[in-house]
Amino acid sequence: MPVNAIGAEQLSGIEEESDIYEAFAPHVDTSNISVLTDTPPGKKPNLKSFQDVQSLIQQGKKREAKIVLRENSWPTNSPIRSQLWPALCAQHHVGKTMLDGFYWDMVNQVFGTTELPEKPIMLPPFVDSTHCLPYHLTRKGRAVADRVVSVLGYACPDITYSPTLYPITSILLHFMSEEECYHCMASLVAPKEKVFITQTKLLYEVTWKTVMQIAKKHAKSAVNYLSTMCNGQKPESIFMDWCWWILGGLPFPHLVRVMDCFFHEGIKVFYRVSLAILILFHKHVTSSNSEWDTDAIKNDIDNALPKFCKNIPVSPAKLLRTAFSIRALSSTYISRVFLKTEMLLKSKSVLSGPKQMVRSRSSDNLPTSQSQINVQMMSHTLTIREVFGAYCSSRWFERNLKDDRGQRQAYFGTGETFLFSLYPERAKYPWVGIEGDTGLGHASELFMAADSKMITIGGGEGQAIWMDENIRFGKTDRCQTFNNPPLCASGDFEIRVLEVYGFVGA
C-alpha cells in the first residue's frame, strides 16, 4: 500500500501575477465583455465594499451577507470579485488549509513541469466536452482552465461526472489567478452539507428532476405552457438542460451576478434562477407585444429557453429579484425534494441493476495509455518527494472480528506485515520479532488497526503510518512494532496518491 506524500515544509510557492486585479485577470479577452449597471445614468450606486462583506463573513453573519450579495449590483468589471469570490469560496473549505505552493506542487506531480504545455491537455473523463465553456478567456486562459480541471480530477478521483465543473472554473478565472482558482474549486467540491457542484451522473439527474418538481409547484403556469408546446410529449428533455439555461445561456453580466450569490449560498441559487427564467419566459412569450411565434416555439422547443436567456429582456438585478421573491421556496423544502428524488433514483438503480457485484467506478478516472503522455499520473512516472507504505498480512475486514469475550480487537494482523520506503531511499522494516526474539512485549504486536475515524499500521510509542477517515492527511512516527524511523522527514504528510494491491486466490 504505497503512499505518495509531501512533507509540509517542502512545499514552496511559485511566482504568479497578483491575485487582485483592476477588473479582469490577464488571461481574459475584455473586448467583448459588456458592462451593465442597474442604476440610472449619472447616479453613482451606493455599493458595499469587500471589507463590508468580509466583516459580515468573519462575524458569522451569513444571512446579512446573503442579503448584501443579492442586492448589491456590482458592475461586471468591478475589482471587488478578485477578493470577494475567493473569500466566499473559502467559507466552504473542508479540512486543513492548503499551504502556499500546494497547487504548483500538484501541477509538478501531474505534468512534470509548471510550464503550460503547448499541446492540448487531455481532460478528465468526468468533463462533458460539449460544455467546456471558456466565456471570455484567451487561448492561454483556456489552457489554464484545462490545467486546473485536470489537477482537480487528479486530486479528487471520486468525481465521476461533473459537467458544470469546467464552466465554473472558467468563470472564476476571469477574476483571479490560476492558483487562487484551484483553491476555490477545491473548496466547492469538498462540502457535504451544501451542494455546489454535482460530481456523479446520478446526482446530476437528481438536480434536473428536482428543478422539474419544484417548477411544477412554483412556476406552474410556465410548466403547463411548456407542456402544451411539447405536442403531447413530456417536458423532461427541456429540464435536462436546466443548468445550461444559466451557465450557457445568460449574458455574461447576468451570469456574474448570479455567481456572486452562488458562491455564498450554493446550488439553490441556480434552482431559484432557473425558476425565474421559466416565469419570465412565460410572461414574455405570452404578452401581447411578444415577437415570439407559437409555431416556432413548438418546432424548436428544446432551444426555446436557451434562446430566451441569450437575449433575456430584464436586467441582472430584475432577474435576481424575480428569483429571490418566489414565496415558500425554502432551502428545507428544496432539500426535501432533492433527497426524495435521490432515494427514488437509487432504489430504481438497485432494483433494475445487475444482481452481481460490480467494480467501483472510481477507477474510471485512472489514466489510459494515451493520457500518460499529457498527464503523468501512473506511479512510476510521478514527480515525487516521499513514497512509503506497508505490506499488510491480514484482511482489513478482521477489524470487525470479536474475541472470546465478544469484544472487538483493537489491533490484528501477523508478523508477516512489514513497512517499506521507496523514496527518497529504499528500505524495508520487518517485524521486530521476525527473528524469534521473545519477551518483546505487547507493543511489538500492534500490526494493524482501523475504525470509522482512522487507519493505522504499527504501534507502541508511536504509529508507523496513520491516516485519517478521509485518507487525506496522515502522520508517521517511530514505533515499537517495526523499530522504524519516521517514513517522511516532517512526520505529518498529506496524501497525494494511495495505491492498494490485493492478492486473490494466492
Side-chain angles (χ1 to χ4, degrees), residues 404-474:
D404 295 337
R405 292 176 292 179
Q407 296 179 336
R408 285 181 54 184
Q409 300 182 61
Y411 278 86
F412 54 95
T414 70
E416 294 172 300
T417 302
F418 63 85
L419 306 175
F420 61 84
S421 172
L422 297 180
Y423 194 87
E425 61 178 285
R426 293 178 179 270
K428 177 183 176 182
Y429 305 100
W431 174 43
V432 292
I434 197 73
E435 300 296 334
D437 296 346
T438 58
L440 294 173
H442 175 66
S444 68
E445 297 183 2
L446 305 177
F447 299 108
M448 303 160 58
D451 57 27
S452 61
K453 298 294 182 183
M454 63 82 195
I455 296 174
T456 188
I457 301 166
E461 297 183 0
Q463 295 157 316
I465 300 176
W466 179 93
M467 294 178 284
D468 68 5
E469 58 189 301
N470 298 313
I471 314 182
R472 177 84 181 275
F473 299 102

Side-chain angles (χ1 to χ4, degrees), residues 16-19 21 25-27 103-104 107 111 113-117 121 140-141 143-149 151 169 172-173 175-185:
E16 193 181 18
E17 67 264 20
S18 169
D19 288 344
Y21 304 114
H27 40 253
Y103 172 69
W104 294 111
V107 170
F111 298 100
T113 177
T114 58
E115 296 293 322
L116 270 175
I121 295 171
K140 178 185 176 183
V144 168
D146 290 352
R147 185 160 68 175
V148 170
V149 171
V151 174
T169 299
L172 285 168
L173 282 171
F175 300 98
M176 63 189 67
S177 69
E178 178 176 354
E179 183 176 23
E180 193 78 75
C181 174
Y182 176 82
H183 285 223
C184 287
M185 290 302 295

